[in-house]
């Protein structure tokens, strides 16, 4: 998970907040049924109020960018809805917007997080093996009630180690966070005012779906290609 989105997670299940973000491009993702869903890549996301005034640092570990902004997400893929296409013109890379949104979570599979969980259980297993070996080496010294008592203590210690490992593994969350239900979207700044922009058409989005968003995604991709050719070399 992005270190910055750890902070975005604070707003999961909380009331909608206003955010400011820099638009990068449109694309599509696939859900569990392989259906293509339109998404937008937003970068350098920070909290603002309803008038786009930046809020102060929320937590001590909030990431501060070079401009002194308290970034709570370095990037997010956000699902597009009809509110997006109520903007007057298409967005191009570098444009800045602000909007009201909720925070949602989604499951992830990452090898580094899986490895961290595995290491926690390996350490617990090594510790438990040491406890059991020590018990095996000393159990002949105990008899009767004392034998039973020492055996139960060993078992309880192993169980305690397993419980701690389980808690530590669960704390390595296999979910990530993003913004959803965008509304009240407004343009804060058009980076390239000379660019030829199409007017967004919410009715065409509702009627044509992927055909319309695919067309717009191609335009945003070609704009990046023209203005940042080094990205594709």
């Amino acid at each position: 998970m992005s270190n910055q989105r750890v902070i975005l997670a604070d707003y999961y299940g909380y009331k909608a907040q206003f955010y400011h973000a820099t638009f990068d491009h449109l694309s599509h993702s696939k859900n569990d049924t392989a259906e293509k869903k339109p998404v937008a890549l937003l970068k350098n996301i920070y909290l603002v109020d309803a008038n786009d005034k930046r809020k102060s640092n929320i937590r001590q570990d909030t990431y501060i960018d070079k401009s002194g902004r308290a970034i709570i997400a370095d990037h997010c893929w956000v699902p597009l809805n009809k509110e997006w296409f109520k903007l007057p013109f298409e967005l191009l890379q570098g444009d800045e917007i602000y909007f009201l949104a909720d925070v949602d979570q989604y499951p992830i599979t990452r090898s580094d997080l899986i490895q961290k969980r595995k290491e926690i259980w390996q350490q617990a297993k090594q510790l438990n093996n040491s406890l059991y070996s020590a018990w095996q080496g000393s159990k002949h010294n105990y008899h009767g009630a004392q034998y039973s008592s020492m055996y139960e203590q060993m078992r309880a210690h192993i169980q305690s180690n397993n419980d701690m490992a389980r808690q530590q593994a669960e704390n390595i969350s296999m979910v990530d966070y993003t913004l959803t239900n965008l509304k009240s979207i407004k343009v804060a700044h058009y980076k390239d005012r000379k660019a030829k922009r199409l007017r967004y058409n919410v009715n065409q989005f509702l009627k044509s779906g992927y055909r319309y968003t695919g067309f717009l995604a191609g335009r945003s991709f070609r704009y990046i290609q023209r203005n940042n050719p080094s990205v594709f070399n």
Side-chain angles (χ1 to χ4, degrees):
M1 185 196 302
S2 158
N3 291 334
Q4 288 73 52
R5 287 200 296 273
V6 170
I7 298 172
L8 184 62
D10 287 351
Y11 298 91
Y12 176 65
Y14 197 63
K15 66 179 182 180
Q17 300 287 310
F18 280 95
Y19 300 90
H20 184 113
T22 300
F23 173 76
D24 194 82
H25 68 279
L26 298 181
S27 187
H28 291 84
S29 64
K30 291 184 179 180
N31 59 18
D32 295 337
T33 61
E35 180 184 5
K36 289 185 176 181
K37 295 291 186 180
V39 291
L41 176 58
L42 301 181
K43 295 185 174 182
N44 298 329
I45 302 163
Y46 58 92
L47 282 164
V48 294
D49 63 17
N51 298 311
D52 196 32
K53 182 178 180 182
R54 178 169 60 89
K55 290 186 177 181
S56 59
N57 195 4
I58 307 301
R59 284 181 12 177
Q60 289 185 349
D61 57 346
T62 303
Y63 175 73
I64 306 298
D65 73 358
K66 295 180 180 179
S67 300
R69 297 175 298 186
I71 302 298
I72 65 169
D74 56 357
H75 76 279
C76 280
W77 289 97
V78 302
L80 299 184
N81 55 24
K82 65 180 182 180
E83 297 298 317
W84 181 276
F85 297 100
K86 291 180 181 179
L87 286 167
F89 296 98
E90 66 177 325
L91 296 181
L92 300 173
Q93 187 184 53
D95 292 341
E96 297 181 38
I97 58 175
Y98 65 102
F99 51 88
L100 191 64
D102 296 315
V103 174
D104 199 6
Q105 65 177 199
Y106 57 94
I108 58 173
T109 302
R110 271 182 38 186
S111 59
D112 59 330
L113 299 183
I114 293 173
Q115 181 61 29
K116 286 181 180 179
R117 284 188 170 189
K118 184 177 179 180
E119 289 172 357
I120 288 172
W121 284 109
Q122 286 176 338
Q123 291 172 3
K125 183 178 179 180
Q126 290 174 0
L127 183 57
N128 290 340
N129 287 343
S130 295
L131 287 170
Y132 187 77
S133 295
W135 158 254
Q136 287 286 85
S138 62
K139 66 180 181 179
H140 64 277
N141 296 323
Y142 309 116
H143 304 280
Q146 187 182 34
Y147 179 96
S148 297
S149 175
M150 297 303 294
Y151 176 76
E152 290 303 323
Q153 287 184 36
M154 182 268 295
R155 289 286 303 273
H157 200 165
I158 288 176
Q159 184 62 51
S160 177
N161 289 339
N162 288 338
D163 290 342
M164 183 177 296
R166 185 176 297 104
Q167 184 62 52
Q168 290 175 341
E170 289 176 353
N171 287 340
I172 301 176
S173 182
M174 297 295 284
V175 296
D176 208 340
Y177 296 84
T178 190
L179 297 171
T180 190
N181 298 328
L182 276 66
K183 51 192 172 185
S184 301
I185 309 170
K186 295 181 175 62
V187 175
H189 174 68
Y190 286 122
K191 182 179 179 181
D192 185 355
R193 293 189 173 275
K194 295 182 180 180
K196 294 182 179 179
R197 302 170 186 268
L198 294 180
R199 287 187 176 274
Y200 277 148
N201 188 324
V202 65
N203 292 326
Q204 193 168 353
F205 167 68
L206 295 174
K207 180 180 179 180
S208 303
Y210 170 71
R211 291 195 300 275
Y212 182 55
T213 56
F215 164 70
L216 293 173
R219 284 181 58 84
S220 67
F221 179 83
R222 288 190 294 273
Y223 177 83
I224 296 175
Q225 198 171 30
R226 287 195 305 269
N227 290 274
N228 301 280
S230 60
V231 173
F232 303 94
N233 291 338

